[in-house]
Amino acid sequence: MADDRRGPGVVVLGSVHMDLIAAADRLPGPGESVRNGVFTRAAGGKGGNQACQFVLAGGVARMLTRLGDDDFGRFLLHGLEAKGVDTTLVVRDLDAPTGASTVFVADEDYCSIIAPGAAANLSETDVEAARVAIEAADALVLQLELPAAISAYAAAIAAEAGTRVIFNASPAPEGVAALPGALLGATSLLVVNRVEAGRLLGRGVESADAEAAVAALSADLGIGTVVVTL
């Protein structure tokens, strides 16, 4: 439960990836190469990003994921710890490499390819090993970069213990039918952006429609609290 001296405690189940970023004046077309690019790398993954943001907001975050036993994995583990994220639930995978996202950026446009690597191997056994931490947390935070089934398994543990489930349905599938009913049934708070809301609803959502989208998602999914960011 919450520590009055520190703030709410969360367990974040999700991906931690190395972002490999190439920026140029414009994105290449199919079969095309663009010159004069700039390359950088940075810690990423939706789960890792959220865990760090919870700490920056004054909370206590424990990261539940898998990292490869490689240079990327060691870099990311050190980065999480440097931000103040508790990494005692992180599992080191001796067989799969650490996940990576290849990101192409031009002006305000970008595209990416996500290779989840070790994170996709997070298992029910791993979640069971974190059961006590999930049950004691104020909230379990989930996304969709990992298989939805493993998120649903963890959500069921949280819901049974009375732990709030915060579900960021991103990347969003096409339609709500692709989401496990057990995951939706355990969700206390759904967070999506405007594009993701549209994918779940099967229609475009403009900024002016955001309030209607919130109401529609709440009714369609049976979730009492829905946040749509613009």
Side-chain angles (χ1 to χ4, degrees):
M1 301 302 292
D3 184 333
D4 292 338
R5 296 168 300 175
R6 296 189 290 178
V10 301
V11 172
V12 181
L13 183 157
S15 58
V16 180
H17 295 158
M18 181 69 80
D19 285 347
L20 308 173
I21 307 164
D25 293 336
R26 64 180 180 84
L27 296 178
E32 181 188 15
S33 298
V34 174
R35 300 195 314 170
N36 299 322
V38 177
F39 175 79
T40 57
R41 72 175 190 174
K46 293 183 183 298
N49 290 342
Q50 290 174 343
C52 291
Q53 290 301 318
F54 271 104
V55 172
L56 288 171
V60 178
R62 304 185 73 180
M63 189 72 225
L64 174 55
T65 192
R66 273 183 174 256
L67 294 174
D69 187 25
D70 50 28
D71 288 343
F72 281 1
R74 286 183 281 275
F75 177 89
L76 293 170
L77 190 68
H78 175 74
L80 289 170
E81 292 169 348
K83 291 290 187 181
V85 176
D86 185 324
T87 62
T88 54
L89 302 179
V90 174
V91 181
R92 301 303 293 269
D93 194 312
L94 301 180
D95 299 315
T98 298
S101 299
T102 304
V103 184
F104 301 94
V105 181
D107 292 327
E108 296 183 358
D109 197 10
Y110 81 98
C111 57
S112 65
I113 298 174
I114 300 170
N121 291 340
L122 194 72
S123 67
E124 292 182 2
T125 300
D126 297 329
V127 175
E128 281 295 338
R131 175 183 282 269
V132 172
I134 293 171
E135 292 175 339
D138 292 291
L140 172 69
V141 183
L142 305 166
Q143 323 81 34
L144 283 177
E145 282 189 333
L146 301 190
I150 198 67
S151 292
Y153 187 85
I157 291 174
E160 184 178 357
T163 299
R164 179 178 296 141
V165 176
I166 300 173
F167 177 33
N168 175 214
S170 178
E174 289 288 354
V176 297
L179 297 174
L183 175 55
L184 296 176
T187 296
S188 312
L189 169 63
L190 174 71
V191 182
V192 288
N193 65 25
R194 183 170 53 83
V195 175
E196 292 155 355
R199 287 175 66 89
L200 292 177
L201 291 171
R203 61 177 174 82
V205 174
E206 301 300 328
S207 297
D209 304 328
E211 288 190 40
V214 166
L217 284 170
S218 180
D220 289 355
L221 304 182
I223 298 172
T225 306
V226 177
V227 174
V228 175
T229 68
L230 301 182

